[in-house]
Amino acid sequence: NLDDPSFKIGKVILDILVNLLEKAATSPFALVGALIPGGADISTLAFTCGTAELNDEATKKLDALAGLLAEKTDLSLEIQAAADAEADLEGLRQEMVMRRMRALKFDDLSKKEREGLAPEKVVITSGEYEDYLWQAYKAENMPKQTVLGLTKKLPAEEMKKIMAEHMQVDDEDMKDLLQQRGLAVKQYLTET
């Protein structure tokens, strides 16, 4: 109220500056995000559970951040990876099943096809999925249903679920996942 005898413009400006500094201290990326066209919240990136792969939404945020970092060279960035204990634990188990399947397919590739290809980069098509899952299920050292001493083939989702339940994930695996996520972000920003 401008008619209030206790109104002072200096106090209003001071309040605005204090609020701005508080916001900068408590959520600096909200302020940085305001500098980016579209005002994206770049304080967090979401990963698929159990993986360190950047999705489209994450790469859009990182592209915006990279542009800002290129313009504002005096800014520094600290990357801290985080995980959702339950969701990432299950995701890691699912990813371990896929690793077993990729390793089997990698072994089936010819020497020429293997050149320059890491086992984790092997792609399993939908047509191959059930076959490699069955091979991985049979090879896994865990209790299985048997018929006449032979491993019983179950529906694909059931085999995958059983395998995932028997995958051993420890703190070191979770730590490795966090490190991979941080490195994925760092590498993307460095290349961009």
Side-chain angles (χ1 to χ4, degrees):
N1 182 0
L2 296 176
D3 294 331
D4 186 353
S6 64
F7 175 78
K8 293 185 176 135
I9 191 75
K11 185 177 182 316
V12 172
I13 292 172
L14 183 62
D15 286 345
I16 291 171
L17 287 174
V18 168
N19 286 341
L20 188 62
L21 289 173
E22 283 178 1
K23 187 170 185 171
T26 57
S27 64
F29 275 100
L31 282 177
V32 172
L35 298 173
I36 296 172
D41 175 17
I42 55 173
S43 61
T44 59
L45 296 175
F47 286 86
T48 303
C49 293
T51 72
E53 294 176 25
L54 296 169
N55 58 32
D56 290 340
E57 181 184 336
T59 56
K60 285 178 187 173
K61 287 182 178 183
L62 289 175
D63 287 340
L65 179 59
L68 180 66
L69 289 171
E71 289 175 19
K72 312 278 186 197
T73 56
D74 55 332
L75 288 178
S76 63
L77 179 67
E78 182 178 315
I79 300 168
Q80 182 176 355
D84 177 339
E86 281 185 35
D88 279 319
L89 177 66
E90 182 58 31
L92 270 172
R93 288 179 172 158
Q94 298 289 331
E95 185 58 28
M96 287 177 154
V97 172
M98 289 303 297
R99 283 184 205 150
R100 300 280 204 285
M101 293 166 57
R102 285 188 206 106
L104 288 167
K105 182 172 179 180
F106 185 78
D107 291 343
D108 288 347
L109 295 175
S110 68
K111 190 174 182 179
K112 184 178 180 179
E113 291 173 314
R114 288 185 197 181
E115 274 184 37
L117 180 66
E120 61 270 7
K121 297 294 181 187
V122 170
V123 176
I124 296 179
T125 65
S126 58
E128 302 168 324
Y129 178 83
E130 197 167 329
D131 182 48
Y132 283 109
L133 179 61
W134 170 236
Q135 288 180 44
Y137 178 77
K138 287 191 304 186
E140 196 64 31
N141 186 15
M142 63 182 188
K144 300 175 195 99
Q145 294 181 17
T146 59
V147 175
L148 300 172
L150 300 172
T151 301
K152 180 180 177 185
K153 187 171 185 176
L154 303 171
E157 286 308 308
E158 194 173 337
M159 286 189 292
K160 187 174 183 178
K161 181 182 176 204
I162 292 169
M163 280 184 70
E165 288 171 356
H166 286 88
M167 293 293 159
Q168 298 297 317
V169 177
D170 57 19
D171 290 341
E172 201 60 38
D173 293 321
M174 195 64 78
K175 204 163 134 180
D176 186 45
L177 174 65
L178 295 177
Q179 191 171 26
Q180 288 175 8
R181 286 178 175 176
L183 288 172
V185 171
K186 179 182 176 183
Q187 183 177 4
Y188 188 86
L189 285 173
T190 303
E191 291 173 358
T192 305

